[in-house]
mmCIF file of all heavy atoms in Angstrom:
data_model
loop_
_atom_site.group_PDB
_atom_site.id
_atom_site.type_symbol
_atom_site.label_atom_id
_atom_site.label_comp_id
_atom_site.label_asym_id
_atom_site.label_seq_id
_atom_site.Cartn_x
_atom_site.Cartn_y
_atom_site.Cartn_z
ATOM 1 N N TYR A 109 -18.110 15.111 13.871
ATOM 2 C CA TYR A 109 -18.264 14.357 12.661
ATOM 3 C C TYR A 109 -16.743 14.124 12.160
ATOM 4 O O TYR A 109 -15.826 14.946 12.429
ATOM 5 C CB TYR A 109 -19.023 15.108 11.638
ATOM 6 C CG TYR A 109 -20.510 15.063 11.828
ATOM 7 C CD1 TYR A 109 -21.305 15.831 11.040
ATOM 8 C CD2 TYR A 109 -21.105 14.360 12.953
ATOM 9 C CE1 TYR A 109 -22.737 15.856 11.195
ATOM 10 C CE2 TYR A 109 -22.417 14.426 13.154
ATOM 11 C CZ TYR A 109 -23.287 15.140 12.330
ATOM 12 O OH TYR A 109 -24.583 15.140 12.521
ATOM 13 N N PHE A 134 -17.811 9.566 9.439
ATOM 14 C CA PHE A 134 -18.986 9.542 10.396
ATOM 15 C C PHE A 134 -19.679 10.942 10.354
ATOM 16 O O PHE A 134 -19.063 11.916 10.540
ATOM 17 C CB PHE A 134 -18.590 9.275 11.810
ATOM 18 C CG PHE A 134 -19.717 9.316 12.770
ATOM 19 C CD1 PHE A 134 -20.696 8.306 12.744
ATOM 20 C CD2 PHE A 134 -19.893 10.355 13.679
ATOM 21 C CE1 PHE A 134 -21.818 8.406 13.623
ATOM 22 C CE2 PHE A 134 -20.961 10.477 14.463
ATOM 23 C CZ PHE A 134 -21.921 9.471 14.565
ATOM 24 N N ALA A 135 -20.976 10.851 10.083
ATOM 25 C CA ALA A 135 -21.757 12.121 9.977
ATOM 26 C C ALA A 135 -23.133 11.925 10.640
ATOM 27 O O ALA A 135 -24.161 12.359 10.144
ATOM 28 C CB ALA A 135 -21.986 12.565 8.548
ATOM 29 N N GLY A 136 -23.065 11.256 11.791
ATOM 30 C CA GLY A 136 -24.361 11.181 12.558
ATOM 31 C C GLY A 136 -25.090 9.921 12.334
ATOM 32 O O GLY A 136 -25.991 9.541 13.125
ATOM 33 N N GLY A 137 -24.790 9.184 11.288
ATOM 34 C CA GLY A 137 -25.514 7.972 10.929
ATOM 35 C C GLY A 137 -24.596 6.753 11.111
ATOM 36 O O GLY A 137 -23.989 6.639 12.157
ATOM 37 N N VAL A 138 -24.608 5.917 10.118
ATOM 38 C CA VAL A 138 -23.677 4.785 10.157
ATOM 39 C C VAL A 138 -22.356 5.159 9.749
ATOM 40 O O VAL A 138 -22.157 5.863 8.721
ATOM 41 C CB VAL A 138 -24.291 3.663 9.146
ATOM 42 C CG1 VAL A 138 -23.285 2.508 9.128
ATOM 43 C CG2 VAL A 138 -25.576 3.200 9.623
ATOM 44 N N SER A 139 -21.310 4.765 10.493
ATOM 45 C CA SER A 139 -19.903 5.155 10.098
ATOM 46 C C SER A 139 -19.399 4.157 9.043
ATOM 47 O O SER A 139 -19.930 3.060 8.933
ATOM 48 C CB SER A 139 -19.011 5.029 11.339
ATOM 49 O OG SER A 139 -18.948 3.743 11.860
#
Side-chain angles (χ1 to χ4, degrees):
Y109 289 175
F134 175 73
V138 177
S139 63

